[in-house]
Amino acid sequence: MKLLTKLPTLVLLAFLTYSCSTDNVDENVEKLASKDLIVPAPKTIEIEILELINDHRLSVGLNPLKNMDIIKSQAYNHTDYMIEQNQVSHDNFYERKSFLTANTGAKAVSENVAYGFTSAQSVVNAWLNSEGHKQNIEGNFSDFDISAEKNADGKWYYTNIFIKK
């Protein structure tokens, strides 16, 4: 008798389990995530940095990277966080990495951060003169984007994120 009362519940559970597809779930998660993204219009300094990085990559025989709004949104959020903390950091990197992995299919994610540089050329030069940052710039990536924001004192903070799809 107990089996008969539980049978409809088991049938409903089986139906729901097999009637959903993970593709639809993934698409819905991406749509929900993209609705809440903050993607500011690119600033001149950001465009210059991206161009300088791609110029460098081309000069050493690497592919140029493509911009992605979803990457910019994560870079912007982190740059804003660094300004709030008044400190350059890679805090919460694994959250950004997980978000980009889940929503772009990224197989690898890396980032460069910086503070205080007043021109695109100066921040790119600093990254290229640092072995770890240079490895990111010259890494096996397909896409990237950047956020450059000034704090209340007019000092620049930068977050440059790279992904491999």
Side-chain angles (χ1 to χ4, degrees), residues 4-158:
L4 288 177
T5 59
K6 293 182 180 178
L7 188 58
T9 304
L10 289 173
V11 170
L12 180 61
L13 181 61
F15 176 75
L16 291 174
T17 302
Y18 292 105
S19 68
C20 296
S21 107
T22 58
D23 290 340
N24 289 340
V25 170
D26 290 343
E27 289 171 13
N28 289 340
V29 168
E30 188 170 340
K31 286 177 187 173
L32 287 174
S34 66
K35 283 201 293 191
D36 297 329
L37 298 179
I38 299 171
V39 184
K43 295 175 186 62
T44 301
I45 193 167
E46 294 169 335
I47 294 166
E48 291 171 353
I49 291 168
L50 297 176
E51 288 174 351
L52 288 167
I53 289 172
N54 271 338
D55 289 348
H56 174 78
R57 288 179 61 86
L58 289 167
S59 77
V60 296
L62 298 170
N63 63 302
L65 304 177
K66 297 176 283 190
N67 305 49
M68 286 185 73
D69 281 351
I70 195 166
I71 298 171
K72 181 163 181 76
S73 74
Q74 295 303 294
Y76 174 76
N77 288 342
H78 184 61
T79 303
D80 195 43
Y81 169 84
M82 290 190 301
I83 289 171
E84 288 174 8
Q85 299 299 309
N86 198 33
Q87 182 176 338
V88 177
S89 73
H90 292 284
D91 291 355
N92 308 311
F93 172 73
Y94 290 102
E95 290 176 20
R96 290 185 294 287
K97 179 180 180 182
S98 294
F99 180 86
L100 291 168
T101 299
N103 290 286
T104 67
K107 294 172 179 45
V109 179
S110 195
E111 73 180 10
N112 288 344
V113 296
Y115 161 80
F117 296 94
T118 58
S119 71
Q121 190 68 63
S122 65
V123 72
V124 172
N125 285 345
W127 284 334
L128 290 173
N129 288 319
S130 163
E131 194 56 39
H133 295 102
K134 184 177 181 179
Q135 286 176 359
N136 288 340
I137 289 172
E138 295 179 353
N140 184 19
F141 296 109
S142 56
D143 303 272
F144 72 155
D145 222 313
I146 190 161
S147 172
E149 300 294 328
K150 285 184 178 181
N151 69 6
D153 297 327
K155 301 287 185 186
W156 285 100
Y157 283 77
Y158 304 90

